[in-house]
């Protein structure tokens, strides 16, 4: 009986640890929704016509700079894509993602920076969902134009597979992330959804539903950009 009692006490003591580990991923998704809402509310922020032509959106809240021998950066966030065979449906459940790289390097004094990345075509979406990609090499990337009247048909926008934006110290701007990498955060997705799933299974194959912590982000996208306005021909290539 004494051994049983010790086991029960140990189990209860361990529960808060497990709860903390689980809530970390949930809090990350909630932060993604809050950050994206705040960025959409910026008057001269992400052009709506660009958002409406994006196949996927990646939100990385609070990227922090670190230094181990050389400078580097890391961030954890989430990706969601439009559903349907040709990315014409509403937005998918989110898959947790990681942004890493030594070339971000513009935070000052440990200042946290929020990122929003728009994935602008099928090639970029399929590449990012399939494997770890290096921006500027595996997927072309550019600083996103900002402002309500920014043209979506400029050469930079038309050539880029990923358009990136940042917000730091209250300032919002398009920013280049060339040299940084994006990858699925497999362990975090396993904790969030309770089983091992690839980003593609979550985002494209409908293996799971939207968790409660991700509803703000997904409902906001469904409301603000319910329809893909890309050229229908390009979505079938």
């Amino acid at each position: 009986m004494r051994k049983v009692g010790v086991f029960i006490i140990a189990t209860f003591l361990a529960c808060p640890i497990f709860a903390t580990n689980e809530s970390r991923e949930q809090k990350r998704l909630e932060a993604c929704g809050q950050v994206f809402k705040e960025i959409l509310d910026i008057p001269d922020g992400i052009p709506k016509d660009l958002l409406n032509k994006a196949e996927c959106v990646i939100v990385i809240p609070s990227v922090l700079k670190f230094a181990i021998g050389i400078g580097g950066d890391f961030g954890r966030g989430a990706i969601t894509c439009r559903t349907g065979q040709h990315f014409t449906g509403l937005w998918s459940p989110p898959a947790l993602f990681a942004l890493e790289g030594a070339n971000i390097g513009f935070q000052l004094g440990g200042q946290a920076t929020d990122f929003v990345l728009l994935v602008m075509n099928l090639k970029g979406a399929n590449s990012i969902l399939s494997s770890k990609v290096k921006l500027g090499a595996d997927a072309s990337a550019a600083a996103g134009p900002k402002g309500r009247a920014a043209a979506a048909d400029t050469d930079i926008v038309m050539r880029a597979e990923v358009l990136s934006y940042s917000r730091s110290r209250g300032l919002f701007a398009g920013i280049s992330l060339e040299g940084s990498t994006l990858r699925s955060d497999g362990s975090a997705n396993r904790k969030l959804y309770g089983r091992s799933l690839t980003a593609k299974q979550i985002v494209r194959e409908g293996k799971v539903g939207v968790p409660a912590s991700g509803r703000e982000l997904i409902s906001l996208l469904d409301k603000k950009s319910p329809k893909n306005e890309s050229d229908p021909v390009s979505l079938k290539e």
Side-chain angles (χ1 to χ4, degrees):
M1 289 295 293
R2 183 177 180 181
K3 290 182 178 179
V4 172
V6 170
F7 175 77
I8 293 172
I9 292 172
T11 300
F12 277 112
L13 288 174
C15 284
I17 298 175
F18 294 138
T20 299
N21 289 339
E22 291 172 355
S23 66
R24 186 181 306 161
E25 286 69 39
Q26 295 167 353
K27 288 178 181 178
R28 187 193 305 180
L29 270 184
E30 290 168 356
C32 288
Q34 183 61 37
V35 163
F36 191 64
K37 180 179 184 300
E38 292 171 0
I39 287 178
L40 285 184
D41 287 340
I42 295 174
D44 290 319
I46 297 173
K48 191 172 190 304
D49 58 344
L50 287 181
L51 177 61
N52 288 342
K53 291 183 177 180
E55 270 68 82
C56 306
V57 171
I58 301 171
V59 183
I60 310 282
S62 298
V63 173
L64 299 175
K65 189 166 187 177
F66 67 97
I68 305 176
I70 61 172
D73 302 85
F74 67 97
R76 299 291 184 267
I79 183 173
T80 176
C81 299
R82 299 181 193 271
T83 55
Q85 181 181 357
H86 301 299
F87 293 83
T88 54
L90 295 176
W91 294 85
S92 73
L96 296 177
F97 245 59
L99 172 71
E100 300 164 334
N103 294 325
I104 303 174
F106 48 81
Q107 292 90 331
L108 300 174
Q111 175 67 29
T113 301
D114 302 316
F115 290 100
V116 172
L117 284 66
L118 305 183
V119 184
M120 301 304 297
N121 56 43
L122 297 185
K123 182 182 177 184
N126 290 329
S127 177
I128 288 170
L129 290 173
S130 297
S131 62
K132 179 177 179 179
V133 298
K134 186 173 183 178
L135 298 178
D138 304 316
S140 59
K146 65 189 186 77
R148 301 302 186 191
D153 57 354
T154 63
D155 288 342
I156 292 177
V157 170
M158 293 180 71
R159 289 198 305 267
E161 292 168 6
V162 177
L163 297 175
S164 50
Y165 296 87
S166 71
R167 181 183 66 167
S168 182
R169 296 184 183 274
L171 300 176
F172 179 77
I175 195 76
S176 175
L177 291 177
E178 286 197 9
S180 303
T181 59
L182 285 167
R183 64 170 176 83
S184 175
D185 193 342
S187 61
N189 284 317
R190 184 169 60 252
K191 291 175 183 177
L192 180 66
Y193 289 108
R195 55 193 172 112
S196 294
L197 293 164
T198 65
K200 190 173 182 179
Q201 286 175 320
I202 296 169
V203 172
R204 297 294 295 148
E205 298 179 12
K207 298 293 185 181
V208 291
V210 177
S213 53
R215 286 174 188 162
E216 181 177 11
L217 175 63
I218 304 308
S219 63
L220 186 60
L221 279 164
D222 284 340
K223 178 181 179 180
K224 297 293 186 179
S225 184
K227 182 180 179 181
N228 192 339
E229 296 182 2
S230 297
D231 182 352
V233 175
S234 70
L235 296 174
K236 297 178 181 180
E237 293 178 350

